[in-house]
Amino acid sequence: GFLDRIAWMKAAAAERPWMDLTRVGIYGGSAGGQNAMRALIEHGDFYRAAAADCGCHDNRMDKIWWNEQWMGWPVDEAYERSSNVAHAAKMQGKLFLSVGEMDSNVDPASTMQVAAALVKADKDFELLIMPGSNHGAGEKPYASRRRMDFFVRHLMGREPRWQP
């Protein structure tokens, strides 16, 4: 859906001169977290920043019953192609990863694996681990503020006003 979303935003911006397509960010949680990071892997020329919360960054390590519904069985090359871990070196732009330490839906190891791949590829990113938090930790007030601070810094080019 990225190509459709990009085409829609370009069409909308053609009629709305106030839209600045040089400062497009994306965020999501769970599978949306996987997709937010994927935007920087596949379309880093368009998306400048992404926040990925509790992402299932490699479907080979996520709960297989969920992935089987959408990707089929047995595990084949499609799983490798969709892995953010396998393609982390292709990432462009700014990335904010957040994860709940006690996530019972997507194993926090998924975020740690993609972080390790980013370190190996010498890619800069921010990582927030929310102690004692479960799935969706990025929506807690502290993590939500940190995500907004991230976007203000990287899309607006300034420090957030609410920071000292």
Side-chain angles (χ1 to χ4, degrees):
F2 284 119
L3 294 176
D4 288 339
R5 287 187 204 112
I6 292 168
W8 180 89
M9 284 187 264
K10 287 179 177 179
E15 297 177 7
R16 296 164 180 87
W18 48 266
M19 287 180 67
D20 183 353
L21 296 187
T22 67
R23 298 188 295 181
V24 178
I26 185 171
Y27 78 93
S30 198
Q34 178 184 28
N35 287 333
M37 182 177 173
R38 196 57 177 212
L40 297 182
I41 292 171
E42 291 185 8
H43 304 285
D45 57 330
F46 184 80
Y47 292 97
R48 301 294 184 240
D53 181 49
C54 303
C56 47
H57 295 287
D58 192 318
N59 293 315
R60 294 171 292 189
M61 73 159 298
D62 194 24
K63 51 201 165 302
I64 198 67
W65 61 266
W66 189 85
N67 294 297
E68 286 177 10
Q69 291 181 67
W70 313 110
M71 298 183 69
W73 179 261
V75 173
D76 60 14
E77 65 280 349
Y79 284 77
E80 172 82 12
R81 283 194 313 267
S82 69
S83 169
N84 288 348
V85 175
H87 299 285
K90 297 176 187 173
M91 188 193 79
Q92 300 174 57
K94 304 295 183 181
L95 177 65
F96 179 81
L97 296 170
S98 58
V99 64
E101 172 198 30
M102 305 298 290
D103 194 324
S104 60
N105 186 8
V106 175
D107 191 330
S110 185
T111 297
M112 296 300 113
Q113 286 179 350
V114 83
L118 290 164
V119 169
K120 182 178 180 184
D122 198 29
K123 297 287 185 175
D124 291 337
F125 64 99
E126 296 180 33
L127 173 63
L128 174 63
I129 300 169
M130 292 288 289
S133 293
N134 202 338
H135 197 61
E139 297 309 313
K140 294 208 177 262
Y142 177 79
S144 180
R145 179 184 59 79
R146 291 282 308 275
R147 178 181 64 225
M148 293 307 299
D149 290 352
F150 168 83
F151 282 125
V152 167
R153 280 193 322 276
H154 295 294
L155 297 178
M156 304 293 291
R158 62 177 172 77
E159 288 301 313
R161 283 183 255 177
W162 49 86
Q163 292 253 339

